[in-house]
Amino acid sequence: MTPLSVRLRDALAKSGISHKALADQLEVGRSTVTHWVSGRAEPSIEAVKQIARVLGIDPGELAFGPASAARLRRAPLRPRLATAKVKPEETRLAG
């Protein structure tokens, strides 16, 4: 799997947005973006969502890569717990 820093660098290059412009949009320092792109630091999940919004890409693809994001979108939801069927007469209190 490609590291987040590489996916971020590629997305920035593709969008033509500079580190400074992204930093300004996110209200963080330019050095913070540089650290994310170099792999010295990783953005929070909330920051990944904001970065994706600014770059116009899917947050899942930025966070996990296109193949992983596609698998997550296709993954079924967790199955619900089975519930016992109770007859109405069993719900009455004895009395």
Side-chain angles (χ1 to χ4, degrees):
M1 180 165 91
T2 308
L4 173 60
S5 59
V6 173
R7 291 189 302 276
L8 177 56
R9 183 192 65 216
D10 293 347
L12 281 168
K14 188 174 182 178
S15 71
I17 295 176
S18 68
H19 292 194
K20 175 79 171 104
L22 180 61
D24 290 346
Q25 291 262 350
L26 301 177
E27 298 180 351
V28 299
R30 184 195 53 76
S31 62
T32 299
V33 173
T34 300
H35 284 123
W36 293 340
V37 172
S38 69
R40 285 183 280 187
E42 286 200 356
S44 67
I45 294 296
E46 195 56 42
V48 169
K49 291 177 188 177
Q50 292 173 351
I51 294 165
R53 180 185 46 77
V54 170
L55 299 179
I57 60 175
D58 180 76
E61 287 187 21
L62 181 59
F64 306 111
S68 294
R71 275 195 307 275
L72 288 173
R73 283 191 296 271
R74 288 192 311 265
L77 298 175
R78 292 193 302 179
R80 293 185 180 180
L81 296 175
T83 56
K85 294 184 180 181
V86 178
K87 297 176 187 171
E89 58 272 9
E90 293 174 353
T91 61
R92 295 190 191 119
L93 296 175

